Amino acid sequence: MNDAVQTFGVQTTGAQDYVAQNDATMTGWLRADGRKGIRDAIVVVYLVECAHHVARRIVDKIDDPRVQLIGFPGCYPNDYALAMMKALTTHPNVGGVVLLSLGCESFNRELLGANAREQGRPVETVVIQQVGGTGPAIAAGMAAVERVRAEADARARRVPMAMSELVIGTICGGSDGTSGITGNPAVGRAFDTLIDAGAACIFEETGEMIGCEGHMASRAATPEVADALLASVHKAEIYYRAMGYGSFAPGNAEGGLSSQEEKSAGAYAKSGSRAIDGVIDPAELVPGPGLYLLDVVPPGDPKFGFPNIVDNAEIGELMASGAHINLFVTGRGSVVGSAISPVVKICANPDTYRRMADDMDVDAGRILEGRGTLDEVGAEIVDLIIGIANGAQTKSEELGHSEFILTYKASGPARPAVCH
């Protein structure tokens, strides 16, 4: 089968030798739990929308790309949001935390702060109602950032980092007819290389696996994992039917995709060809090396308006499960990046790449024009990951993108948690 249309590939030639040659060059920030980060961000976290403006002003005034804004806008308590924030504020790419609270919201700021401290992060909390309003809170927050940043610097220890200590996520957005034959399978080749080197890789978008569940189950490491894979896609189909819509957008059709099933086949190609070791939920850390499906569809009847088909919400869930870097495949074009973890843009369409080259890290569309192969693009992606892990910036980082979104969502699996 021609490389340009081969969806499910095999191991990149010479991949293990390639990784061995580059592995020793990687370093990371050692955290108290033994994980290592490739960034050392200081996160300013608003715990209700009422504190969002103050938190944003603090970050804007500090004007340091390392100081990044994340938060949860809701006031009603939500287990999903708490689990996500606990995971994100202790992400290995995070070195310190400043919490911004209005003072009367339901978010458990004490629990969140204590959890981060227990995992070795310097933490300070500013309560707007207690310090006297917007102006004093901005001043107090800026001072807190300076103290947290200084303490994080004093604690920082850069140590050697192996490929087997990386967690890499993948997502696709703005998909078109080229996504499933260039960018997505190229990521699949990169995933094969990374998994063979001992890394953990996460693919997601459960609703975009509809029609692929049988093939996924055939790749399961155990019968229990096969059952969990089938159950997760079945749950997504039921949920989307109840909602009356899924993840197939008008832009996908305009870009040449004919159906949800065709889009699913392309999205599934990002997972590569290795055995699938488990199914995890958002904010559940991968238990070890291997390949995992992130089940993003909540259990039970539709609530809180999900599916909220927003790429950055899904990037947030990949990060909460430990992803150091996220590989973002796009055919029509996307300009988003992310706080905390770098986003690598892989452009599947050569015409889109020519229009939006300043936002793209990889020209996977060149495969269509005979200027490269899936193996070559897959190797380029692995090479980029090594460089980014050592501090090289992605295009979205260079442009200052640090998007983040977190909304209400139900939590808890509708199936037994299964990991190989």
Side-chain angles (χ1 to χ4, degrees):
M1 186 178 293
N2 187 284
D3 239 358
V5 295
Q6 187 173 350
T7 303
F8 305 115
V10 297
Q11 171 65 37
T12 302
T13 303
Q16 291 182 341
D17 291 340
Y18 174 82
V19 170
Q21 292 167 5
N22 289 276
D23 211 15
T25 67
M26 294 173 58
T27 60
W29 278 271
L30 180 63
R31 304 304 180 193
D33 63 2
R35 293 187 294 168
K36 297 169 186 175
I38 66 163
R39 295 291 185 269
D40 196 32
I42 307 300
V43 288
V44 176
V45 187
Y46 60 91
L47 303 180
V48 65
E49 184 61 24
C50 307
H52 190 167
H53 173 74
V54 170
R56 183 175 297 281
R57 290 293 290 153
I58 291 166
V59 172
D60 288 346
K61 284 177 173 288
I62 294 287
D63 194 24
D64 177 358
R66 180 185 173 192
V67 179
Q68 299 178 350
L69 179 69
I70 66 174
F72 174 61
C75 190
Y76 183 83
N78 180 239
D79 290 341
Y80 163 81
L82 178 59
M84 287 286 292
M85 275 301 175
K86 288 172 69 176
L88 291 167
T89 52
T90 56
H91 190 283
N93 287 355
V94 171
V97 181
V98 175
L99 304 178
L100 262 293
S101 164
L102 176 63
C104 55
E105 71 278 357
S106 297
F107 203 105
N108 192 333
R109 63 177 183 265
E110 291 83 5
L111 177 61
L112 184 62
N115 181 72
R117 287 188 194 93
E118 288 168 5
Q119 297 196 40
R121 304 311 193 275
V123 180
E124 292 208 20
T125 301
V126 175
V127 181
I128 296 169
Q129 291 169 346
Q130 293 177 5
V131 300
T134 298
I138 292 172
M142 292 177 67
V145 169
E146 295 294 346
R147 289 190 296 271
V148 165
R149 184 167 51 184
E151 187 174 348
D153 288 342
R155 296 184 186 187
R157 190 156 67 100
R158 202 79 185 266
V159 297
M161 183 174 183
M163 190 76 84
S164 59
E165 296 174 288
L166 282 175
V167 181
I168 306 296
T170 189
I171 181 175
C172 53
S175 299
D176 69 6
T178 69
S179 298
I181 57 177
T182 61
N184 287 341
V187 168
R189 296 292 177 94
F191 263 29
D192 287 349
T193 299
L194 294 162
I195 290 164
D196 289 349
C201 293
I202 312 171
F203 69 109
E204 50 86 63
E205 296 169 303
T206 324
E208 293 185 10
M209 300 297 142
I210 294 170
C212 301
E213 60 270 28
H215 194 283
M216 276 201 299
S218 73
R219 292 171 56 196
T222 67
E224 292 78 15
V225 172
D227 290 344
L229 290 165
L230 293 171
S232 66
V233 177
H234 181 62
K235 172 165 63 83
E237 185 174 4
I238 292 172
Y239 203 102
Y240 284 172
R241 286 186 187 280
M243 289 295 294
Y245 64 95
S247 66
F248 190 80
N252 298 141
E254 291 169 5
L257 289 170
S258 65
S259 64
Q260 176 66 64
E261 288 77 7
E262 185 180 9
K263 184 179 182 183
S264 294
Y268 175 46
K270 300 194 304 297
S271 67
S273 65
R274 298 301 182 255
I276 301 172
D277 293 294
V279 181
I280 60 174
D281 292 301
E284 180 183 355
L285 298 180
V286 293
L291 179 63
Y292 300 88
L293 172 67
L294 178 63
D295 185 356
V296 301
V297 178
D301 296 329
K303 58 182 67 175
F304 300 133
F306 186 84
N308 178 12
I309 305 167
V310 178
D311 293 329
N312 281 92
E314 294 176 341
I315 289 173
E317 292 180 329
L318 288 164
M319 291 190 301
S321 291
H324 292 93
I325 295 170
N326 286 298
L327 309 177
F328 190 127
V329 180
T330 183
R332 302 203 55 158
S334 175
V335 300
V336 302
S338 178
I340 298 177
S341 292
V343 172
V344 177
K345 292 296 185 17
I346 299 160
C347 189
N349 188 315
D351 292 334
T352 302
Y353 183 85
R354 283 186 277 269
R355 285 196 307 272
M356 300 180 66
D358 288 347
D359 284 278
M360 302 299 160
D361 298 281
V362 178
D363 176 15
R366 70 182 190 268
I367 296 167
L368 290 178
E369 298 179 336
R371 295 183 287 110
T373 68
L374 288 175
D375 280 342
E376 289 169 349
V377 176
E380 179 184 345
I381 292 168
V382 174
D383 187 52
L384 269 174
I385 287 169
I386 293 169
I388 292 163
N390 275 319
Q393 288 198 318
T394 64
K395 291 292 184 69
S396 63
E397 287 180 300
E398 290 176 354
L399 292 167
H401 284 281
S402 57
E403 289 87 346
F404 182 84
I405 182 170
L406 177 64
T407 59
Y408 282 111
K409 189 173 176 180
S411 61
R415 48 161 177 75
V418 177
C419 291
H420 176 57

